Each structure stands twice: as C-alpha cells, then as structure tokens.
Amino acid sequence: MTTPGPPPRLPDPGHSGPTVLRIVLGTQLRRMREANGVTREQAGDHIRASHAKISRLELGRVGFKERDIVDLLTLYGVTDDRERAEFMELVTQANAPGWWQHYGDMLPSWFEMYLRLEQAASVIRTFQVQFVPGLLQTEDYARSVIVAGHQGESVEDIDRRVQLRMTRQKLLTEPGSPRLWAVVDEAALRRPFGPPRVMRSQLDHLLHMVEMPNVSVQVLPFRFGGHAAAGGPFTILRFAEPDLPDIVYLEQLTSAVYLEKRSEVESYLAVMERVCVQAETPARSAEMVMRIRQDL
C-alpha cells in the first residue's frame, strides 16, 4: 500500500489549538484512506464502527480514540514507527479538552462544535437580526437574552450560561485574536432586552468594541426594506490553515447546521458581500448606534 506521506505538522500547534489539529488530522486520514482505495464502509468495519463514524472522524467532528487511529494507520499501510509516533503525538494534542468542558453538562454537542471552530477561526463574519452578536454582548444584556431563551432554568444555570458567553469573548483580546466582522440589523439594536439602562450600556459597549482594530460592525437600516440575507442569521468561519475550508454555521432552536460544500459556502459569502454593501459603513454605523442610544 502507498500513503500520502507523514502527517503534516502545524507551524504552531500551541496557537492553532486542538480543533485545528483535529480537522487537519481528519483530512490526513481521509487522504490516506482514498490513496489506498479503502471505502468508508471498509474503514468502519476495520475499527468496529459505522461509515458515519469514519465520516465524522475525517471531518474532525469527534475526538479520536487511540485504538481506532492505531488500527486505521495499520489499515492504510503506515508501518514506519516514527510516522506512527508523530501522528499519535498530534492525536494526543487534538484530544486536549477545551475551556468549555467545565460547562459540558449544559452544552449540546452541536454548539460545542461551534465553540471549537470559533476558537480556531481567523475571521468570523456574522449577520444577526434579533440580537447583538454574542461576542459583543455585555453581561447584563446577555443575561436578559439567555433568560428569554431558557425560561424555567435555575438562577445557577443562567449564571453559568452567562459566564460561558463572557468567557467566549476573551478570544477577541488574546494574542492571535480573530477578526470579527458583524452586520447587525437595526432591529437588533432597537429590540429591548432588559430595561433601558441595560440597552444603553449595551450600545455604549458596542461603540467601545468597534474601536478595536480587529472588530468591525455595520448596521443594516430599516429603510432598505428587503435585503439579501432575508433568510435569517448566519455566521461564516474562516481559518488560516489552507487545509481547512470556510464553514457556514446556521443555528436553529434545538440544533445547528454546518455547511462546508464550496458551492453552499460561496452562496453565503455572496449574500454576506451584498449585505455589507447595503449596510452603513462602519463609521456611519457608529453614528447610527449613537442616535439609537439617544432615543432610549
């Protein structure tokens, strides 16, 4: 059997984090499988699993069991001890738990995957209709939004959800932070969550955040009526690593959809570009936020 060579080493695994490693290793496993003419069904049978599990492994959607990876490397003809050891070393790093594991009891798997991708992204482009983007929310505003969506939960659980959202925001100020480019419908800025003081504080915070070099916010005014993104909110995640494709994230009430096909991603990128053209410029958007604040 032939293999496509040893697994790639990322230039800076510590910065890229376990999510990027997991996706890159999954891609490498797929290439090995295809190079050896092995089907997903055959690979699944070899590790006593389904072809769906092989697909999830190759997409980096699940953690790696060392026994499964050892068996797959053997199936794909990787017999060199050094190559196997290098791959398994990266597998160990890819399985490292994220900071969000402390909230695992309240995190559905579909949202945990988004947190992993968000942490690994180099650019986050989002269109929001109902809320200020989560990465730009104040604690009080976030609490009001979370209470509205999780009525009946205990105060302790609400507090933990708020803390999770606040912890997420640290990625915007850490070394190697991603660029956040948000387009926000005017409705999201005028829809009250909490009393006026909460909304005023939220708008003040938004004005403060857009002063950061890696944060851009555009407001889509009511006066434009219909717009290109009438289908609803979405987020596009882009990664610095060439092996990782852009991913579109569509959150639903009890699940989420992740789009990776080039044709689907390009459709959303085109919509995002049109919305950015329709929306106010960042400078005019800041002026608009100030006017909305004055109305409160």
Side-chain angles (χ1 to χ4, degrees):
M1 291 185 178
T2 60
T3 70
R9 280 192 177 278
L10 296 176
D12 185 359
H15 169 65
S16 298
T19 299
V20 170
L21 284 170
R22 182 182 292 185
I23 297 174
V24 171
L25 291 178
T27 299
Q28 185 72 0
L29 286 171
R30 175 181 58 78
R31 289 174 177 169
M32 290 177 180
R33 177 179 59 75
E34 292 175 347
N36 286 281
V38 178
T39 67
R40 287 195 178 93
E41 288 76 10
Q42 291 170 329
D45 289 343
H46 192 74
I47 64 169
R48 305 154 297 281
S50 66
H51 68 89
K53 179 176 180 179
I54 295 298
S55 179
R56 291 193 295 271
L57 280 173
E58 293 178 351
L59 291 171
R61 296 287 174 80
V62 294
F64 298 118
K65 290 185 178 179
E66 291 191 4
R67 176 184 173 184
D68 290 343
I69 303 305
V70 167
D71 289 346
L72 288 175
L73 290 177
T74 300
L75 177 64
Y76 301 153
V78 182
T79 57
D80 182 84
D81 289 340
R82 180 184 60 83
E83 290 184 21
R84 292 171 69 95
E86 287 180 350
F87 203 100
M88 296 310 298
E89 179 182 345
L90 293 178
V91 164
T92 299
Q93 295 180 48
N95 282 335
W99 58 262
W100 51 85
Q101 295 300 315
H102 298 295
Y103 305 91
D105 58 317
M106 61 173 51
L107 273 180
S109 59
W110 53 266
F111 188 62
E112 180 180 348
M113 184 62 199
Y114 177 77
L115 291 180
R116 286 186 174 276
L117 294 170
E118 183 180 72
Q119 290 288 315
S122 61
V123 179
I124 303 169
R125 300 184 69 178
T126 186
F127 172 71
Q128 295 295 327
V129 179
Q130 187 172 1
F131 313 111
V132 171
L135 291 175
L136 301 175
Q137 293 179 5
T138 64
E139 184 171 337
D140 287 341
Y141 179 91
R143 186 178 303 278
S144 296
V145 170
I146 290 170
V147 167
H150 297 274
Q151 296 184 14
E153 286 198 1
S154 67
V155 174
E156 291 77 12
D157 283 347
I158 295 296
D159 286 343
R160 292 182 67 207
R161 291 187 185 277
V162 172
Q163 188 56 48
L164 169 63
R165 188 161 301 180
M166 295 299 102
T167 303
R168 277 177 61 199
Q169 296 178 0
K170 292 180 180 179
L171 71 86
L172 291 178
T173 56
E174 293 175 342
S177 59
R179 180 188 179 194
L180 173 63
W181 185 356
V183 179
V184 183
D185 195 283
E186 182 178 347
L189 304 181
R190 293 191 180 277
R191 186 182 305 278
F193 281 97
R197 65 172 179 80
V198 171
M199 291 303 299
R200 283 194 292 268
S201 178
Q202 175 59 69
L203 295 179
D204 286 341
H205 180 66
L206 196 59
L207 291 170
H208 171 70
M209 292 300 292
V210 298
E211 294 178 357
M212 297 175 60
N214 60 321
V215 176
S216 298
V217 174
Q218 293 181 258
V219 179
L220 186 63
F222 285 144
R223 69 174 183 272
F224 282 111
H227 53 78
F234 63 94
T235 298
I236 304 173
L237 301 167
R238 175 163 292 175
F239 308 91
E241 289 71 17
D243 275 338
L244 306 188
D246 293 350
I247 294 177
V248 176
Y249 172 74
L250 305 172
E251 185 170 324
Q252 302 172 345
L253 187 61
T254 59
S255 63
V257 175
Y258 294 87
L259 304 178
E260 300 176 58
K261 290 183 180 179
R262 192 65 222 168
S263 59
E264 295 174 327
V265 172
E266 287 177 348
S267 294
Y268 276 90
L269 283 169
V271 168
M272 180 65 83
E273 293 298 337
R274 292 199 295 272
V275 169
C276 288
V277 171
Q278 287 181 298
E280 298 284 15
T281 65
R284 291 176 63 88
S285 294
E287 294 173 358
M288 190 171 177
V289 172
M290 287 188 281
R291 289 197 300 272
I292 294 173
R293 188 200 183 286
Q294 291 171 357
D295 293 339
L296 293 174

